[in-house]
Amino acid sequence: DVNLLGGCSTAAVIGTYKVARDFMAAIWQVSDPLLFVVYPELAKLWTRREFPALRRFLRNAVLGLSLAAVVLFGVAFIVVPPTIVLSLSEEFAAGGSVFRWMIWCVLVWMPLLWVNPLLMAAGRANLFFRATLVASATTLLFDLLLIPQFGAHGAAFAYAAGVLASPLAGIYLARSAGI
């Protein structure tokens, strides 16, 4: 994304995009501990073949993760843009808008946080790998299509689309494999 952006825009645009992407990395740091809670429980329930309990866990996880996603999205949407200006300078104010083009993916991704851990718990790392390839291809495709015309905002949308592609592809692949 940054390399393509570099060929189509100025250093200032690249800088604001990188700032927005760095703030997204901070958002993922908030969600990472949830993976450490979800994966072991999925692995335990899967290996014990406790599928009704697994379904209940997933249902509760989706509800809880959805609520967390809404809260995280709302707080980040409001707090991050002024934080960018306060911490860096007014020159990076556009980074807040670019960040907002990225953060929407949290609303879909976080409730699906369980998908890739479930593939791993089921012993289907190959499906997780394929879902990751789909995500990478999606990001690259959207980067190529959107960056030349929309610059940093196009890169931000491509980033978000790539984030969503992995769990959505994972769900499709899991269902196709009978998981």
Side-chain angles (χ1 to χ4, degrees):
D1 52 357
V2 172
N3 290 333
L4 279 170
L5 200 54
C8 301
S9 58
T10 66
V13 170
I14 296 166
T16 57
Y17 174 74
K18 287 181 74 171
V19 165
R21 198 177 66 183
D22 287 347
F23 273 88
M24 277 303 297
I27 296 299
W28 302 133
Q29 293 301 313
V30 172
S31 66
D32 281 351
L34 297 172
L35 284 170
F36 297 124
V37 172
V38 170
Y39 177 71
E41 190 64 20
L42 291 176
K44 177 183 77 174
L45 294 171
W46 185 272
T47 57
R48 293 180 180 170
R49 303 279 190 228
E50 295 177 11
F51 297 119
L54 177 63
R55 279 189 281 284
R56 279 192 307 277
F57 177 78
L58 289 176
R59 187 175 31 254
N60 292 334
V62 168
L63 290 173
L65 292 169
S66 295
L67 177 62
V70 169
V71 170
L72 183 60
F73 170 81
V75 169
F77 192 87
I78 293 167
V79 171
V80 168
T83 301
I84 289 173
V85 172
L86 287 172
S87 63
L88 298 171
S89 74
E90 191 65 41
E91 292 176 343
F92 290 94
S97 173
V98 173
F99 174 81
R100 286 179 171 159
W101 277 77
M102 289 179 184
I103 191 65
W104 66 269
C105 68
V106 167
L107 292 170
V108 178
W109 177 84
M110 193 169 249
L112 300 176
L113 178 112
W114 55 270
V115 173
N116 292 331
L118 179 63
L119 294 175
M120 296 300 288
R124 298 303 303 265
N126 63 322
L127 299 180
F128 174 49
F129 178 72
R130 288 182 199 166
T132 301
L133 288 178
V134 168
S136 297
T138 300
T139 304
L140 181 60
L141 176 65
F142 277 109
D143 278 342
L144 291 170
L145 293 173
L146 299 176
I147 288 175
Q149 186 171 358
F150 300 105
H153 289 91
F157 185 85
Y159 174 94
V163 166
L164 296 182
S166 180
L168 294 174
I171 288 172
Y172 173 78
L173 293 167
R175 292 186 76 87
S176 297
I179 297 174

